[in-house]
Amino acid sequence: LARERGLALVSLRKLPVQQFEAGGTAPKNDAKGAPANVRSIYQHSFEIEIEGSYSELHGYLAHLEKLPWQLFWGRAALDAGKHPRLKLMLTVHTLSMNKVWLVDDA
Protein backbone atom coordinates (compact mmCIF):
# COMPACT_ATOMS: atom_id res chain seq x y z
CA LEU A 1 0.00 0.00 0.00
CA ALA A 2 2.91 2.37 0.62
CA ARG A 3 3.73 2.44 -3.13
CA GLU A 4 0.34 3.91 -3.98
CA ARG A 5 0.29 7.06 -1.86
CA GLY A 6 -3.43 7.80 -2.29
CA LEU A 7 -4.61 4.41 -1.02
CA ALA A 8 -5.96 3.95 2.49
CA LEU A 9 -6.32 0.63 4.29
CA VAL A 10 -9.87 0.55 5.67
CA SER A 11 -9.73 -2.96 7.16
CA LEU A 12 -7.78 -6.20 7.07
CA ARG A 13 -9.33 -9.40 8.38
CA LYS A 14 -7.90 -12.92 8.48
CA LEU A 15 -10.40 -15.67 7.61
CA PRO A 16 -10.39 -19.19 9.10
CA VAL A 17 -7.92 -21.68 7.63
CA GLN A 18 -9.55 -24.31 5.44
CA GLN A 19 -8.28 -27.58 4.08
CA PHE A 20 -7.94 -27.19 0.32
CA GLU A 21 -9.45 -29.95 -1.79
CA ALA A 22 -8.60 -29.65 -5.46
CA GLY A 23 -11.58 -30.40 -7.64
CA GLY A 24 -13.84 -30.84 -4.62
CA THR A 25 -12.73 -34.43 -4.00
CA ALA A 26 -12.91 -35.81 -0.47
CA PRO A 27 -9.77 -37.22 1.20
CA LYS A 28 -9.33 -40.92 0.52
CA ASN A 29 -9.45 -43.60 3.23
CA ASP A 30 -7.16 -46.61 3.54
CA ALA A 31 -8.38 -50.25 3.51
CA LYS A 32 -9.39 -50.06 7.21
CA GLY A 33 -11.48 -46.92 6.69
CA ALA A 34 -8.97 -44.60 8.35
CA PRO A 35 -7.91 -41.43 6.53
CA ALA A 36 -5.06 -42.18 4.15
CA ASN A 37 -1.66 -40.75 5.01
CA VAL A 38 -1.71 -37.86 2.54
CA ARG A 39 -0.18 -34.43 2.85
CA SER A 40 -2.82 -31.79 3.33
CA ILE A 41 -2.88 -28.44 1.63
CA TYR A 42 -4.36 -25.52 3.53
CA GLN A 43 -5.98 -22.38 2.17
CA HIS A 44 -5.14 -19.21 4.10
CA SER A 45 -7.42 -16.30 3.30
CA PHE A 46 -7.88 -12.70 4.28
CA GLU A 47 -10.11 -9.80 3.33
CA ILE A 48 -8.60 -6.45 2.48
CA GLU A 49 -10.70 -3.31 2.21
CA ILE A 50 -8.89 -0.37 0.63
CA GLU A 51 -9.98 3.04 -0.58
CA GLY A 52 -8.56 5.18 -3.37
CA SER A 53 -9.01 6.41 -6.91
CA TYR A 54 -9.58 4.03 -9.80
CA SER A 55 -5.98 4.39 -11.03
CA GLU A 56 -4.56 3.85 -7.52
CA LEU A 57 -6.66 0.71 -7.01
CA HIS A 58 -5.75 -0.56 -10.47
CA GLY A 59 -2.06 -0.02 -9.73
CA TYR A 60 -2.39 -1.90 -6.44
CA LEU A 61 -4.05 -4.91 -8.12
CA ALA A 62 -1.42 -4.92 -10.87
CA HIS A 63 1.29 -4.91 -8.19
CA LEU A 64 -0.38 -7.81 -6.32
CA GLU A 65 -0.44 -9.89 -9.50
CA LYS A 66 3.32 -9.38 -9.98
CA LEU A 67 4.32 -10.44 -6.44
CA PRO A 68 6.58 -13.50 -6.20
CA TRP A 69 4.11 -15.12 -3.77
CA GLN A 70 1.34 -17.24 -5.22
CA LEU A 71 -1.79 -15.27 -4.34
CA PHE A 72 -5.21 -15.58 -5.89
CA TRP A 73 -8.45 -13.85 -5.10
CA GLY A 74 -11.86 -15.34 -4.77
CA ARG A 75 -13.88 -12.13 -4.66
CA ALA A 76 -13.50 -8.49 -5.55
CA ALA A 77 -16.27 -5.95 -4.97
CA LEU A 78 -16.06 -2.27 -5.85
CA ASP A 79 -18.16 0.38 -4.10
CA ALA A 80 -18.40 3.65 -6.06
CA GLY A 81 -20.86 5.33 -3.69
CA LYS A 82 -18.38 8.13 -2.88
CA HIS A 83 -17.00 8.64 -6.40
CA PRO A 84 -14.26 9.60 -7.24
CA ARG A 85 -13.06 7.80 -4.06
CA LEU A 86 -13.73 4.08 -4.51
CA LYS A 87 -13.70 1.29 -1.96
CA LEU A 88 -12.42 -2.15 -2.98
CA MET A 89 -13.23 -5.23 -0.91
CA LEU A 90 -10.84 -8.01 -1.93
CA THR A 91 -10.65 -11.60 -0.68
CA VAL A 92 -7.14 -12.98 -1.18
CA HIS A 93 -6.04 -16.61 -0.78
CA THR A 94 -2.76 -18.48 -0.67
CA LEU A 95 -2.00 -22.18 -0.23
CA SER A 96 0.42 -23.84 2.15
CA MET A 97 1.31 -27.29 3.47
CA ASN A 98 1.48 -25.65 6.92
CA LYS A 99 -1.86 -25.29 8.72
CA VAL A 100 -0.54 -22.71 11.20
CA TRP A 101 1.09 -20.37 8.69
CA LEU A 102 -1.12 -17.35 9.50
CA VAL A 103 -2.39 -18.20 12.98
CA ASP A 104 -2.81 -15.51 15.64
CA ASP A 105 -0.55 -15.65 18.69
CA ALA A 106 -3.52 -15.05 21.01
Side-chain angles (χ1 to χ4, degrees):
L1 288 172
R3 292 177 188 225
E4 297 291 337
R5 296 188 187 270
L7 289 181
L9 178 64
V10 176
S11 68
L12 176 64
R13 184 171 71 102
K14 185 176 71 69
L15 302 174
V17 176
Q18 297 181 6
Q19 188 167 2
F20 181 78
E21 296 176 9
T25 58
K28 301 204 182 332
N29 294 336
D30 65 14
K32 296 179 183 176
N37 187 12
V38 296
R39 295 185 66 150
S40 295
I41 299 173
Y42 298 96
Q43 179 177 305
H44 302 274
S45 306
F46 52 98
E47 291 178 343
I48 305 171
E49 189 172 346
I50 53 179
E51 187 176 81
S53 71
Y54 177 83
S55 66
E56 292 162 347
L57 293 171
H58 180 269
Y60 180 71
L61 292 175
H63 179 74
L64 276 183
E65 287 185 332
K66 292 177 186 175
L67 288 174
W69 308 298
Q70 297 296 313
L71 296 175
F72 59 99
W73 45 70
R75 183 176 93 90
L78 190 65
D79 178 358
K82 295 182 180 177
H83 186 270
R85 294 295 289 174
L86 306 174
K87 193 179 288 185
L88 175 66
M89 287 77 56
L90 184 65
T91 304
V92 180
H93 311 283
T94 189
L95 301 175
S96 170
M97 304 281 287
N98 187 351
K99 184 176 183 177
V100 295
W101 180 64
L102 287 175
V103 173
D104 294 332
D105 292 330

